[in-house]
Amino acid sequence: MVFWKKLSCLWTVGLCLVASKSSPRTPTITDQNFIDHCVNVHNEFRGQVEPPAADMKHMTWDEGLAKVAEAWAKQCKFQHNSCIGKSFECHPTFQYIGENIWLGGLSIFSPKSAILAWYNESKIFDYNTLSCSGVCGHYTQVVWASSYKVGCAVKMCPDLGNADTAIFVCDYGPAGNFPNMPPYTQGEPCSLCEEKETCEHKLCQNKELDKPEKYPNWTPQGKAPQLKACDLLCLIYVLLTMF
């Protein structure tokens, strides 16, 4: 009887482990492929704006912004972070940060597909009049010239749709989208780069700004508890039922 009870528990563990492995995998904010994908796609689109930009800065990853994005994504709220617009509430060094949010199926998600959806708002944005026939704030933040840091995160949020629903959040520093201001200065690419900057793929690159920052004693606002993994729950179940 004891043998069959233990065998049943082990079978339960195996079933849970299989289930957890078959679940969609979301990249973490320390996944280098994910980081590179997010950064490279942003820079790709920033370098191809029309009309061309004279002062578009090159973007790099920021650990703090990624932590903010992750903490907010865990809340599974399809709305902007409550700290947005509050001085030094979101980030330890950027007074204000910008934010874009995408919601959809994880099975069709990639950083490029989400960022492309934001960038495609350019089709309804008129640079000359700064007018938009719909929603253009995602696009203008992606190509806001003075924003040079980005951090993104993706989390599963089945309560916002179905089991495949994920939310993708990108935060930007410093913030863009100031009222009645163009996202960048029109002109020959890199013609308005600062003295210490070099021109790389039509973007103004500053090696000092590119340096990664660490925030060892700081945690972002808006943290929510994560659900425990199925395999951990099953292990607890085994330990409880075997004694």
Side-chain angles (χ1 to χ4, degrees):
M1 184 67 180
V2 174
F3 171 77
W4 287 110
K5 186 176 182 180
K6 291 183 178 180
L7 184 61
S8 175
C9 292
L10 290 174
W11 179 85
T12 304
V13 172
L15 180 62
C16 284
L17 287 174
V18 170
S20 66
K21 287 181 179 179
S22 63
S23 300
R25 177 187 174 275
T26 56
T28 68
I29 61 173
T30 58
D31 183 327
Q32 194 59 50
N33 287 333
F34 175 71
I35 292 172
D36 291 343
H37 199 168
C38 291
V39 171
N40 292 341
V41 172
H42 273 93
N43 284 327
E44 176 188 345
F45 290 142
R46 287 167 70 83
Q48 65 183 37
V49 291
E50 287 294 338
D55 58 347
M56 186 73 73
K57 290 190 180 295
H58 175 263
M59 271 191 172
T60 51
W61 188 260
D62 181 75
E63 178 186 282
L65 291 171
K67 287 181 177 180
V68 175
E70 180 185 51
W72 189 245
K74 288 178 181 177
Q75 298 281 359
C76 286
K77 296 179 180 179
F78 192 46
Q79 61 191 52
H80 283 299
N81 196 319
S82 55
C83 70
I84 294 292
K86 298 177 183 178
S87 179
F88 291 108
E89 285 289 320
C90 282
H91 194 275
T93 57
F94 291 118
Q95 184 175 6
Y96 298 103
I97 68 170
E99 186 173 72
N100 281 343
I101 303 176
W102 174 94
L103 185 71
L106 185 64
S107 59
I108 61 170
F109 167 78
S110 71
K112 185 164 189 174
S113 66
I115 299 167
L116 176 61
W118 298 334
Y119 184 81
N120 278 343
E121 292 174 1
S122 60
K123 297 174 181 177
I124 56 174
F125 178 76
D126 188 319
Y127 179 92
N128 295 318
T129 61
L130 300 182
S131 60
C132 176
S133 59
V135 175
C136 296
H138 304 96
Y139 162 70
T140 51
Q141 177 58 83
V142 167
V143 301
W144 198 266
S146 60
S147 298
Y148 61 89
K149 289 290 185 180
V150 64
C152 306
V154 58
K155 292 294 175 183
M156 297 300 300
C157 292
D159 289 346
L160 293 179
N162 53 48
D164 187 51
T165 301
I167 195 166
F168 177 62
V169 179
C170 285
D171 286 322
Y172 304 85
N177 287 343
F178 289 97
N180 303 315
M181 287 183 61
Y184 56 86
T185 303
Q186 180 180 350
E188 184 70 22
C190 296
S191 59
L192 292 180
C193 288
E194 297 177 8
E195 185 177 347
K196 294 183 179 180
E197 295 176 332
T198 60
C199 187
E200 301 291 339
H201 304 292
K202 300 182 179 180
L203 304 176
C204 300
Q205 186 168 8
N206 185 321
K207 291 184 178 180
E208 287 299 314
L209 295 181
D210 283 355
K211 290 181 179 178
E213 295 286 342
K214 298 292 183 181
Y215 310 92
N217 300 316
W218 173 81
T219 56
Q221 300 293 319
K223 281 202 169 182
Q226 286 184 282
L227 295 175
K228 296 182 183 297
C230 176
D231 52 345
L232 178 58
L233 290 175
C234 291
L235 179 59
I236 293 172
Y237 172 80
V238 170
L239 293 175
L240 289 176
T241 55
M242 289 183 69
F243 296 97

